[in-house]
Amino acid sequence: MSSSKSFYATTPIFYVNDAPHIGHAYTEVAADVLTRWHRQRGESAFLLTGTDEHGEKILRTAAANKVSPKEWADKLVTESWLPLLETIDVKNQDFIRTTEPRHEKNVQVFLQHLYDTGFIYQGDFEGNYCVGCEEYKTMADLIDGEGDFDGQKVCAIHTRPVEKLKETNYFFKLSEFEQPLLDYYAANPRFVQPESAKNEVVSFVRRGLEDLSISRSKEKFDWGIDIPWDSSHITYVWFDALLNYITAIGYGEDTAEAKAKFESLWPASVQIVGKDILRFHAVIWPAMLLAAGLTPPNQVFGHGWLLVGGEKMSKSKLTGIAPSQITDTFGSDAFRYYFMKAIAFGSDGSFSWEDLSARYQSELANGFGNLASRTIAMIHRYFDGVLPAASQHTEADLQVARVAAEAVAKADQAIDDLAIQDAIAAVWTLVDELNNYITVQEPWALAKDEANRERLATVLNTAAEGIRALTVLLAPITPKACATLWSALGQGSLGDLADQKLSQAGVWGQLKAGAAIGVLEPLFPRIETEAK
Ligand code: MSP
């Protein structure tokens, strides 16, 4: 099994009736960068994303729009969620919707299994429910309301009153998993990351777990998956949603093909979530899996929030920014680069147009784009667009090769640690080294004297080799620019960019001398309009 094991990354499935904003896009991009990185290593790699389509909130919005909830969800998936992936250039292998038969059917298989094995029982429940969060709240989760809600307790996230619900429900025996979970965290210290998130999860579990209500009576609303042994109840939307990670890859299916797929992908390598939903993923989800006799994922990573004006950006607070507002001006590569580079993955980060614009200009346009353009332009000017061969290497040339090899090793390690920002910083040591190399070697000065012809060839060959390494390293982050650059620089020597092994990127002398080099348009053109 291990030889056929794929890298498998997931994003949360997003509430279908929210408008996609840069917070959702941030999670998607991070998961996509990691998956592309693994694929560039030569591994098989699978990215799953999708939409969460059941629950009272969706039912209410659909009703307000006078359509059925399924029609409403279909429209939003087609008009908003699938286009989002195009906008930010995410290359997912699958997109799961919780209204699909492959999901609904196998959620029931899972529930029935837990019911049959005694992990689900019937009981009475009374609690404060926040429809915004689709979650029961404890008193500690509530704050005093203000304005219209003065004198009432409101949800701390949505600042709206909670509803008192009293129902006879089915319960999952979450309390039985307190010790097994603590043991699991101890035995798998990288299961919850980053470290700060892990500590929070461990202390939460240590404070004790209560059983979890996992059904809702249909008397109230019926937009969800029927409890298989009691059709007067539907499944709690989170219990339903979490299972997408396994129903998408064949859980519950009997065919040999589905079983093989499940075996090759589960347990997931990394499940990326925002820290707002870390508890669901680091406590409830592994408990569900343990109850079903399945292995929890290798890692759950809770990233930070994008803040706008110091607050968590969200649609309900009207601070949401649509990703296309950024990509229309700066392009998808800049979007991807900016959010991965400017914010340490795992920490909160503030978005600002000024910062985006400044980094676009200095890091992408001047740092990387210009380096590629001028190197290729000089190969055209001095060698008629044919890559010259290197001869005698000087210490400066060897230093470029050393920096490249180190950048590859450091970036690769950083990706394993999910330190995406550090990986990019490691790659940028090569961008800086190459820019410095060209400034010091002054190929334009060498070109003035025919006696320096060999040296000029070596310098441009070295710069081209460095850019080749950069293209492979940056392909997961800025795929469009790298595809363009590769077709100018590497295609003639080495074939497809997708076939270049990341681990080999720092190996020198791969480009073929004598290969024709294409013409390169600016990778990150000047933005003429004022930023915004
Ligand atoms: N449907 C549930 C998830 C179910 S997963 C089994 C849900 N959906 S959501 O649409 O609200 O998406 C929440 C996720 O969106 C966060 O966990 C995070 O990944 C992303 N983000 C939403 N707002 C964000 C920010 N302001 N900043 C960073 N990420 C944000 O919860």
Side-chain angles (χ1 to χ4, degrees), residues 398-520:
L398 298 175
Q399 175 63 12
V400 176
R402 272 196 297 269
V403 171
E406 259 171 49
V408 172
K410 280 200 182 134
D412 214 25
Q413 179 57 52
I415 291 292
D416 279 341
D417 297 338
L418 265 62
I420 304 176
Q421 187 190 42
D422 295 349
I424 300 179
V427 175
W428 237 253
T429 60
L430 180 56
V431 173
D432 293 340
E433 173 66 23
L434 283 163
N435 275 316
N436 181 50
Y437 175 79
I438 292 177
T439 308
V440 172
Q441 300 301 319
E442 297 187 304
W444 49 89
L446 294 172
K448 288 191 180 133
D449 187 345
E450 192 54 30
N452 296 326
R453 189 84 184 146
E454 273 198 2
R455 182 64 199 143
L456 176 63
T458 305
V459 167
L460 291 182
N461 181 288
T462 302
E465 271 297 315
I467 293 168
R468 174 198 52 73
L470 273 182
T471 314
V472 178
L473 285 165
L474 288 172
I477 297 143
T478 55
K480 288 205 171 90
C482 290
T484 307
L485 180 49
W486 190 259
S487 59
L489 184 74
Q491 201 74 42
S493 284
L494 289 160
D496 290 347
L497 177 55
D499 299 330
Q500 310 308 308
K501 292 259 186 337
L502 230 149
S503 61
Q504 302 299 304
V507 175
W508 226 238
Q510 296 187 45
L511 291 173
K512 283 198 194 81
I517 301 295
V519 175
L520 188 69

Side-chain angles (χ1 to χ4, degrees), residues 251-330:
Y251 170 81
E253 296 291 327
D254 269 333
T255 64
E257 198 191 343
K259 284 183 193 298
K261 183 170 185 180
F262 189 78
E263 283 285 286
S264 75
L265 291 169
W266 196 259
S269 311
V270 61
Q271 301 207 257
I272 307 286
V273 299
K275 63 182 179 182
D276 50 335
I277 56 173
L278 186 68
R279 276 186 206 168
F280 288 101
H281 286 82
V283 180
I284 297 175
W285 177 226
M288 286 164 66
L289 290 162
L290 290 172
L294 293 167
T295 314
N298 291 348
Q299 189 168 78
V300 171
F301 191 96
H303 69 63
W305 285 342
L306 294 191
L307 308 174
V308 173
E311 270 201 55
K312 179 183 179 226
M313 193 199 50
S314 75
K315 199 190 126 205
S316 49
K317 290 191 175 147
L318 295 179
T319 48
I321 299 170
S324 58
Q325 280 179 265
I326 294 176
T327 57
D328 284 352
T329 305
F330 293 91

Side-chain angles (χ1 to χ4, degrees), residues 11-15 18 21-24 26-27 52 81 238 241-245 272-277 281 303-307 312-314:
T11 72
I13 47 171
F14 301 102
Y15 288 128
D18 285 349
H21 58 55
I22 59 175
H24 306 124
Y26 177 66
T27 315
D52 192 348
W81 289 98
W238 266 101
L242 286 162
L243 289 166
N244 89 86
Y245 304 126
I272 307 286
V273 299
K275 63 182 179 182
D276 50 335
I277 56 173
H281 286 82
H303 69 63
W305 285 342
L306 294 191
L307 308 174
K312 179 183 179 226
M313 193 199 50
S314 75

